[in-house]
Amino acid sequence: MYKMIVCDMDETLLDNQAKISKKNEQAIKAFTAQGGHFVLNTGRSFLSVQDNLKQLGLIDKPNQYVIAYNGGAIVENRANQILTVNQMPFETVKQIFDYAVKRNVTVHIYAVQGLYMWRPSDQELHYIKQRVADFDILTSSNIDGLKQQPLVKILYQADDPAFRKELSQAVAALLPDELTITFSSNRYVEFNPAGIDKGTATLQLAKQLRVKPSEIMAIGDNSNDLAMLNAAGLGVSVQNGTAAVKQAAGYVTQATNNESGVAEALEKFALS
């Protein structure tokens, strides 16, 4: 029996309108009623998922958790207690940001309790406002004002997949061996400190809860989910997952994120 489920949000748990279906909600509530830990494991801030936690009956709950920022932080839902921060050095963030300025690329910088964006397009703002309630727009290309904040992740937004790949290769060459680089939502290339990802944070939390890797199910759709699928006893891809995620998964749902693929996985493997 699986004791812990870690689940991606965008394009996995959420449908294309950024909503959790009733079927997914009911399956998750049934799993937690059995005593299971259902952990949102997302690239986003834990502050941006509070409405989702409320819908799932997990808001402010002790012994229930969120992994945020692709493993940058582990947070207990009760009073949003930050248990673990896997911080990114400011100078690393600054070098990645400065390169984006040269290339005129949209940037998101994540602090533990804040999101800062530089030059988002109208389309990107629309996408973000569906998912994030609070953020700041940087009006300067000097980010020294963020130096005292605990920063955990930085990403670039670009619509063209070839350009995203080019950017990832350029930053990898700029900062060799310093980064974990992943892709998500068919729009982002994301940068975390080397060795920090959704999988390492999953295992950090599991160790705290005395849950074995074999007792973990992970559900995702994109490359930033691969590490958690590989860390778990069972990795699941929703039907709309990328080819690499489907190949890595032990099970691929018949349903997409728009058809309650998460509920399918829970009903098949996790519910009594």
Side-chain angles (χ1 to χ4, degrees), residues 166-236:
E166 177 192 338
L167 291 168
S168 72
Q169 292 172 339
V171 173
L174 180 68
L175 295 163
D177 305 320
E178 292 188 35
L179 301 171
T180 296
I181 302 175
T182 55
F183 299 87
S184 68
S185 300
N186 296 319
R187 63 196 300 117
Y188 300 127
V189 52
E190 308 201 13
F191 307 98
N192 286 83
I196 301 303
D197 53 44
K198 290 186 177 185
T200 55
T202 292
L203 296 179
Q204 285 175 327
L205 177 58
K207 185 176 181 179
Q208 293 179 44
L209 299 177
R210 297 184 179 180
V211 172
K212 300 173 184 176
S214 61
E215 297 171 324
I216 304 170
M217 182 196 303
I219 312 172
D221 75 290
N222 217 313
S223 76
N224 65 334
D225 301 319
L226 282 169
M228 72 174 181
L229 266 65
N230 290 330
L234 175 63
V236 175

Side-chain angles (χ1 to χ4, degrees), residues 50-243:
Q50 298 302 301
D51 287 345
N52 305 110
L53 293 176
K54 184 176 182 180
Q55 179 181 349
L56 298 173
L58 297 174
I59 195 165
D60 205 34
K61 290 289 185 180
N63 211 29
Q64 294 289 352
Y65 305 87
V66 170
I67 296 171
Y69 315 113
N70 286 342
I74 301 172
V75 181
E76 185 175 11
N77 295 349
R78 179 178 55 187
N80 285 327
Q81 295 185 74
I82 299 169
L83 305 181
T84 304
V85 176
N86 295 310
Q87 192 166 339
M88 199 168 193
F90 175 77
E91 288 305 320
T92 300
V93 174
K94 182 174 172 57
Q95 287 183 73
I96 297 170
F97 178 80
D98 288 346
Y99 182 76
V101 171
K102 292 179 182 177
R103 301 295 301 271
N104 198 30
V105 175
T106 296
V107 183
H108 298 197
I109 299 174
Y110 287 87
V112 171
Q113 300 202 38
L115 167 60
Y116 304 88
M117 291 194 290
W118 188 75
R119 289 194 177 177
S121 65
D122 290 342
Q123 180 188 36
E124 177 66 2
L125 283 172
H126 175 74
Y127 182 86
I128 290 297
K129 285 176 180 177
Q130 288 183 302
R131 293 159 172 82
V132 179
D134 190 32
F135 53 85
D136 291 296
I137 304 294
L138 296 169
T139 57
S140 169
S141 59
N142 184 330
I143 61 169
D144 287 347
L146 303 180
K147 194 169 187 177
Q148 302 307 314
Q149 295 204 45
L151 304 180
V152 287
K153 188 182 78 165
I154 179 170
L155 64 78
Y156 296 163
Q157 188 271 318
D159 294 330
D160 179 28
F163 187 42
R164 289 195 299 271
K165 184 175 181 180
E166 177 192 338
L167 291 168
S168 72
Q169 292 172 339
V171 173
L174 180 68
L175 295 163
D177 305 320
E178 292 188 35
L179 301 171
T180 296
I181 302 175
T182 55
F183 299 87
S184 68
S185 300
N186 296 319
R187 63 196 300 117
Y188 300 127
V189 52
E190 308 201 13
F191 307 98
N192 286 83
I196 301 303
D197 53 44
K198 290 186 177 185
T200 55
T202 292
L203 296 179
Q204 285 175 327
L205 177 58
K207 185 176 181 179
Q208 293 179 44
L209 299 177
R210 297 184 179 180
V211 172
K212 300 173 184 176
S214 61
E215 297 171 324
I216 304 170
M217 182 196 303
I219 312 172
D221 75 290
N222 217 313
S223 76
N224 65 334
D225 301 319
L226 282 169
M228 72 174 181
L229 266 65
N230 290 330
L234 175 63
V236 175
S237 171
V238 285
Q239 181 58 230
N240 54 289
T242 66

